[in-house]
């Protein structure tokens, strides 16, 4: 059994509750729920009512692009604010290692995103009321959304640990997230194939967060997809740990 130290539990609870004690958390929830609700049900092309199908397809089609801007807004304060105010030095003097602090803060922000996703449950109820959707596929869509959110949060945490400026952290995370989302798009792969060899094109395609998300969201839950998200999260969290250890040594 994995033992979690009291310091890690305290830090997790402190970070998680902080999202509900400041305007940022409430603003995030309002923007996310209103934005994804509007994009799902607005009367435009590809929307819920336009396709005349009781499906959460429009919801999952838009959620990566909601995450593109809202997750960087959440992750930018993970470490940049601590470094700017100097409280990161105080935090790292607690009986908790850098790795434990990184994991605790990451899990707190991931849990907050989970709360935001739970807030969209009325959409599921609406779809069930209007038709007979495949709830198994809908569940996998939520799993894919949660895994994608975790990956983008880990990326955001890395750039938050890289700089003391939250705005810089936000911009860098948006750029990196956009790259990871678009890495497997046909226009980009076609362009890259004209310059680089095929193995590089295949590598770029394999890094596509959107590609693995779409695979799970369609109901194909392969271990390769779970492995991809797990490796990505661990890789970026490890990067944050390395950066913060260097800062601690300084």
């Amino acid at each position: 059994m994995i033992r979690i130290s009291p310091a890690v539990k305290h830090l997790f609870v402190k970070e998680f509750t902080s999202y509900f004690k400041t305007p940022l958390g409430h603003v995030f929830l309002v923007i996310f729920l209103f934005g994804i609700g509007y994009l799902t049900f607005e009367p435009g092309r590809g929307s819920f009512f336009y396709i005349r199908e009781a499906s959460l397809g429009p919801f999952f089609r838009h959620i990566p692009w909601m995450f593109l801007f809202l997750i960087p807004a959440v992750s930018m304060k993970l470490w940049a604010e601590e470094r700017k105010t100097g409280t990161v030095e105080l935090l790292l003097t607690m009986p908790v290692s850098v790795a434990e602090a990184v994991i605790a803060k990451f899990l707190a922000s991931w849990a907050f995103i989970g709360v935001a996703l739970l807030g969209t449950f009325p959409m599921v109820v609406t779809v069930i009321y209007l038709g007979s959707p495949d709830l198994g596929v809908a569940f996998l869509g939520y799993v894919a959304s949660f895994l994608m959110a975790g990956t983008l949060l880990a990326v955001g945490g890395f750039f938050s640990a890289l700089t003391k400026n939250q705005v810089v952290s936000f911009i860098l995370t948006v750029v990196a997230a956009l790259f990871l989302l678009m890495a497997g798009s046909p226009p980009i792969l076609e362009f890259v194939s004209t310059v680089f060899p095929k193995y590089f094109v295949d590598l770029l395609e394999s890094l596509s967060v959107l590609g693995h998300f779409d695979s799970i969201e369609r109901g194909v839950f392969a271990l390769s997809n779970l492995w991809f998200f797990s490796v990505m999260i661990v890789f970026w969290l490890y990067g944050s740990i390395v950066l913060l250890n260097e800062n601690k040594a300084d």
Side-chain angles (χ1 to χ4, degrees):
M1 181 180 295
I2 299 176
R3 292 187 59 187
I4 302 176
S5 69
V8 172
K9 293 179 182 178
H10 173 76
L11 182 57
F12 170 84
V13 173
K14 174 180 174 293
E15 290 295 323
F16 180 71
T17 55
S18 69
Y19 286 107
F20 300 96
K21 294 179 180 178
T22 62
L24 177 64
H26 297 89
V27 168
F28 173 88
L29 290 175
V30 170
I31 293 178
F32 174 75
L33 295 176
F34 176 81
I36 196 63
Y38 175 78
L39 291 172
T40 301
F41 295 107
E42 60 91 17
R45 189 175 184 83
S47 71
F48 181 88
F49 293 110
Y50 183 88
I51 63 176
R52 297 181 179 277
E53 178 184 343
S55 167
L56 286 171
F59 169 80
F60 293 119
R61 186 161 52 248
H62 288 111
I63 203 166
W65 309 110
M66 289 291 297
F67 281 167
L68 178 61
F69 294 101
L70 294 177
I71 284 186
V74 172
S75 65
M76 68 182 184
K77 70 180 270 303
L78 285 178
W79 293 105
E81 183 180 16
E82 301 262 16
R83 293 188 61 198
K84 183 178 180 180
T85 59
T87 54
V88 65
E89 286 80 7
L90 178 62
L91 173 64
L92 297 179
T93 60
M94 295 174 58
V96 57
S97 68
V98 172
E100 289 175 325
V102 167
I103 293 172
K105 288 170 77 71
F106 166 74
L107 291 178
S109 62
W110 202 7
F112 176 70
I113 298 299
V115 171
L117 287 172
L118 286 176
T120 65
F121 184 71
M123 295 185 188
V124 180
V125 176
T126 301
V127 171
I128 294 175
Y129 177 76
L130 294 175
S132 301
D134 188 331
L135 295 182
V137 173
F139 173 76
L140 287 178
Y142 272 96
V143 170
S145 300
F146 190 60
L147 291 173
M148 177 175 60
T151 299
L152 298 183
L153 279 171
V155 173
F158 172 82
F159 288 112
S160 184
L162 183 66
T163 177
K164 296 180 181 180
N165 191 308
Q166 292 190 48
V167 176
V168 173
S169 172
F170 176 87
I171 294 173
L172 290 175
T173 303
V174 169
V175 172
L178 181 61
F179 169 78
L180 291 173
L181 288 173
M182 298 297 294
S185 64
I188 291 180
L189 293 177
E190 183 177 350
F191 170 76
V192 172
S193 65
T194 62
V195 181
F196 296 96
K198 186 177 184 302
Y199 71 84
F200 183 85
V201 178
D202 293 339
L203 174 63
L204 184 63
E205 186 176 13
S206 69
L207 292 176
S208 173
V209 170
L210 193 58
H212 292 276
F213 168 81
D214 287 339
S215 177
I216 299 176
E217 188 268 323
R218 289 194 300 267
V220 182
F221 191 75
L223 288 178
S224 59
N225 294 321
L226 181 60
W227 175 252
F228 168 80
F229 286 115
S230 300
V231 169
M232 288 290 284
I233 290 172
V234 171
F235 172 81
W236 289 100
L237 289 182
Y238 179 75
S240 298
I241 294 169
V242 171
L243 287 176
L244 291 168
N245 272 320
E246 290 182 354
N247 293 331
K248 186 178 181 180
D250 295 338

